[in-house]
Amino acid sequence: MSQSTAPRADRPRTLLLRGGEVHSPADPFATAMVVEGDRIAWIGSEGAADSFADGVDETVELDGALVTPAFTDAHVHTTATGLALTGLDLAGARTLADALARIRAHAAARPADRVLLGTGWDAGGWPEQRHPTRAELDEATGGRPLYLTRVDVHSALASTAMLDLVPGLAGRAGYAHDAPLTGDAHHAVRAAAYASLGPAQRAEAQRAALAHAASLGIGSVHECAGPEISSEDDFTGLLALAASEPGPRVHGYWAELVTSAKDAARVTALGALGAAGDLFADGSLGSRTAHLCAPYADAPHTAGTAHLDADAVAAHVAACTEAGIQAGFHAIGDAAIEAVTTGVRRAAERVGPDRVRAARHRVEHAEMLTGRTVADFADLALTASVQPGFDAAWGGADGMYARRLGAERARTLNPYAALLRAGVPLALGSDSPVVPLGPWEAVRAAAFHHTPEHRISVRGAFTAHTRGGWRALGQDDAGVLAPGAPADYALWRTGALVVQAPDTRVANWSTDPRSGTPGLPDLTPGGQLPVCLRTVVGGQTVYARPNE
């Protein structure tokens, strides 16, 4: 696929890619690209590429492959993703009995693990319509400690031996005998479970997650860590590993409340870009802990849990803004999102709206938006860090959203088109391991949303999953193939390139050559998704598909 010559020592290594399709706003008809060191130097036509051929160190014949910017996944839990990849993942379990059998097999295969870790169960999809009892977990594990998170990671099951590792657990909020743990009780058990991981086991999981991301064309991830999710050692260890080994870039957020310059300095000393990510304003819909303005349809006695009010949000955003770092929140329910936008507005009144807007604060998930909160996002320049895989997994008339909220409220969730129309910056991600890493799956889910009025074009979703992730970091010159941009890109084997948009008038115009709209793979549901052939980060190959 490539031809090389020895590079000269007095200049960066140069690479010419030619004979493919280069997805670039710089030239919508480009077929070739030159990379110089860690930057893109030129993009253009096949004929013009001839003038570079003799002066580069290596030429890659693309053979029709598509070249795109590498994806950025704007919300990942790297260690937990790696543990799901290398350990017990019940996402594929179809029945309660199947889940218990998988737990038994995992326990037998990991005799040396101090604590067994697993994720991905969802009793709503099982014919038994119930989760395992503690007695069943004790039997399946042979009496060993087991921490087993629900698919949304906002509640968990634990064996008796696991619960016994946390003194005073029964007195914590969120504890109920033989029911999933939530709130403080869940956080305490999670901390005990992850404390059992040694440095080698943790690094193994992180490497597995990053290698898997690279194999999917992901060049950057936003690690959403925090004291209620992981540990400082886990966070700093991941950043150090990513900095020292080839692989996707890792941009870290640490979800801890900040009320002073001293607090902000502590967050940045960890290597975090901001006190953001999963700073919980509420929980999740699946666990019925997302904070709603009206009770759940299938649990009319509860409207979820509020972890932060508008005053706490305002104090955090004001302190972060003054310290020059990003603030951010996990907010899913409509009441939680309203608390966040109200708090950010109060912070803007305190420190100045222009300063708040310039900081590019962010909100993770942002599922239950209203017309008013969408307008608030736009006015306050809040980035919506969203996960289209949630709608793919839980949307539709028979999905979890409809069961929890009723059909009418469920149809309002994840309104991507309304956000883009209002000018709200979108950054796409997975929240892995809640939803598996899969950038093309996410782009497809946004373009073919269960609710037609929320659909956006493939191009809009793709931009949000590439350039959008970089813009969410405050960097506007990356996530795109253009001269001067970082050489973070991926090569794909795919079918014919098309333009897909919810409005056929837009799609028809976009396919006219006069529009200059570059095509992307056909993501119609049921069709084959692109196959990643190579992922390059900073000019360095971090994944190459075998035998390609």
Side-chain angles (χ1 to χ4, degrees), residues 354-430:
D354 290 342
R355 292 180 69 191
V356 166
R357 293 182 186 118
R360 304 193 192 190
H361 303 308
R362 50 191 285 171
V363 180
E364 310 300 316
H365 315 311
E367 294 184 63
M368 290 187 72
L369 290 155
T370 65
R372 184 175 69 241
T373 51
V374 167
D376 287 338
F377 270 54
D379 183 47
L380 298 165
L382 294 172
T383 294
S385 171
V386 298
Q387 296 75 42
F390 289 1
D391 177 74
W394 304 320
D398 300 320
M400 182 271 288
Y401 287 155
R403 294 196 300 272
R404 291 290 185 269
L405 302 173
E408 184 176 348
R409 275 194 294 177
R411 282 183 60 85
T412 69
L413 265 61
N414 303 303
Y416 303 140
L419 287 164
L420 284 184
R421 282 196 302 270
V424 176
L426 286 186
L428 266 56
S430 62

Side-chain angles (χ1 to χ4, degrees), residues 42-66:
W42 173 85
I43 287 173
S45 67
E46 194 62 28
D50 289 337
S51 62
F52 292 97
D54 293 335
V56 297
D57 300 312
E58 182 180 358
T59 297
V60 174
E61 298 293 344
L62 293 171
D63 299 324
L66 172 66

